[in-house]
Amino acid sequence: MYNYIRMELYRLFHSKSPWVILVIMILFNCFSLLLLKAELKDIRKNMPEDREGLAIEMMMETAEDPDTETIGIVSSLGQTDTGKIEVTNVINSVLSSKLMLLFCSIFTALFICAEEKSGFMKNISGQMKKRGYIVVGNVAAAMVYVFILFVCCTPIILFAKIIFGDALVLGSVTEIFKMAGVQYVLHTAFCLFLMLLCLLTRSTAFGMVVGLVMSTGMFTPLYSFINKYIVGSGSTFDIGKYVIENNVMLIVPGAETEIIVRALVVGVVFAAVALTLSVLLLRKRDVR
């Protein structure tokens, strides 16, 4: 198992596609920050120079309410009480927009799920006594890559410092790690869930399409239909609170403890179920 994990990590660091995805992700988020900067500039035009803090607060107030169901990828800086843009707000614009989920779905399909399509999994499975170790290696690669994606928030933050200047402040370091930690669990679980779908269907295209649909919020009408016609309009249960993509949107600076705990539970449950089923699937069926 250890050798297979090393092999997967070697393949990760020496493949081109993960790094191309990484560069495109950074460029997309930098462009998104430029758009937010332009929005702030438009607000400032109608305000005195000494009211810059109020202008920033107005831009924050136009940010999307995490409880509002939306379709598409929406980037916003979130809410702040200081009239300044904190690092947590920049990280929030990167993670809560679900843009990172989109790139995770592309990575999972192109790197992890393509193994069966290319015949790599068939060749390596014949040399292993326990084929479940293949899944463990894929999980290790997904965890490392998601961590690298999160570390690459650093150049995005530096770019934000360049364009926002003194308006960008550090803020709470504890809040940064708390938000990033929960988001890391959710994004890793998202990759494992897509890996399971690819294994079930033997199709990388299916996993990528489901990932793109989830990351753009296009399942929102389906969740509303389930809540209204299956669960019942009189029930307080909301299936949207227990799916990965919606919890990604809810983890924002200042999120309530209940929301954070629920998001962690959702991420851990999705990851555990996906990992268990993937291992059982590889053990029971023939590898093509």
Side-chain angles (χ1 to χ4, degrees):
M1 180 178 68
Y2 175 69
N3 288 333
Y4 186 76
I5 291 175
R6 287 180 58 190
M7 184 173 62
E8 282 295 290
L9 295 179
Y10 179 87
R11 195 168 68 91
L12 171 65
F13 287 111
H14 289 81
S15 297
K16 292 182 180 179
S17 58
W19 307 109
V20 172
I21 294 171
L22 192 66
V23 172
I24 294 175
M25 184 275 296
I26 294 174
L27 293 177
F28 262 79
N29 281 289
C30 289
F31 179 71
S32 176
L33 288 174
L34 286 175
L35 294 179
L36 293 173
K37 172 67 173 180
E39 180 184 349
L40 176 60
K41 185 177 181 180
D42 290 339
I43 296 176
R44 281 174 174 166
K45 286 181 180 179
N46 300 320
M47 286 194 172
E49 294 183 359
D50 60 345
R51 304 299 299 277
E52 180 175 332
L54 180 58
I56 294 175
E57 288 180 1
M58 287 184 62
M59 184 177 69
M60 303 297 187
E61 290 172 0
T62 60
E64 176 193 22
D65 184 352
D67 293 325
T68 303
E69 296 179 340
T70 59
I71 297 178
I73 294 176
V74 181
S75 180
S76 63
L77 290 174
Q79 300 282 349
T80 181
D81 298 326
T82 62
K84 293 283 188 178
I85 301 172
E86 298 181 356
V87 171
T88 51
N89 299 118
V90 177
I91 296 176
N92 173 65
S93 74
V94 175
L95 301 179
S96 298
S97 66
K98 297 185 292 187
L99 184 61
M100 193 82 84
L101 282 183
L102 187 147
F103 289 108
C104 284
S105 65
I106 297 173
F107 163 76
T108 304
L110 292 182
F111 181 80
I112 296 179
C113 300
E115 288 183 345
E116 187 170 2
K117 196 81 171 179
S118 64
F120 172 81
M121 188 176 292
K122 181 178 181 180
N123 293 333
I124 198 68
S125 62
Q127 305 173 27
M128 302 182 69
K129 295 181 179 179
K130 296 182 179 180
R131 289 186 298 186
Y133 289 160
I134 296 176
V135 175
V136 177
N138 291 336
V139 170
M143 292 178 65
V144 170
Y145 189 72
V146 172
F147 179 77
I148 293 173
L149 284 176
F150 277 48
V151 170
C152 284
C153 287
T154 303
I156 297 172
I157 293 170
L158 294 176
F159 181 76
K161 182 62 177 178
I162 293 174
I163 63 174
F164 288 114
D166 294 336
L168 180 67
V169 296
L170 178 60
S172 172
V173 176
T174 303
E175 189 73 19
I176 293 173
F177 283 101
K178 180 174 67 174
M179 187 171 65
V182 178
Q183 291 282 18
Y184 176 79
V185 173
L186 289 171
H187 282 73
T188 303
F190 182 74
C191 291
L192 302 190
F193 175 68
L194 295 184
M195 179 184 68
L196 172 62
L197 293 182
C198 291
L199 289 175
L200 281 172
T201 60
R202 298 184 186 271
S203 171
T204 58
F206 180 82
M208 181 179 289
V209 169
V210 171
L212 295 178
V213 170
M214 289 178 67
S215 60
T216 53
M218 294 179 66
F219 277 142
T220 298
L222 175 62
Y223 301 148
S224 299
F225 177 84
I226 293 174
N227 288 333
K228 185 173 182 179
Y229 296 104
I230 298 180
V231 178
S233 56
S235 174
T236 58
F237 178 81
D238 181 6
I239 191 174
K241 293 181 179 180
Y242 304 98
V243 294
I244 294 176
E245 67 271 28
N246 285 2
N247 278 279
V248 166
M249 292 182 61
L250 292 172
I251 302 302
V252 297
E256 297 178 359
T257 304
E258 178 186 355
I259 295 175
I260 294 174
V261 172
R262 185 176 65 223
L264 272 175
V265 172
V266 168
V268 170
V269 169
F270 264 86
V273 172
L275 175 60
T276 303
L277 293 180
S278 297
V279 171
L280 293 176
L281 194 62
L282 275 184
R283 285 181 178 177
K284 297 296 182 181
R285 80 177 185 188
D286 295 332
V287 178
R288 295 177 182 176

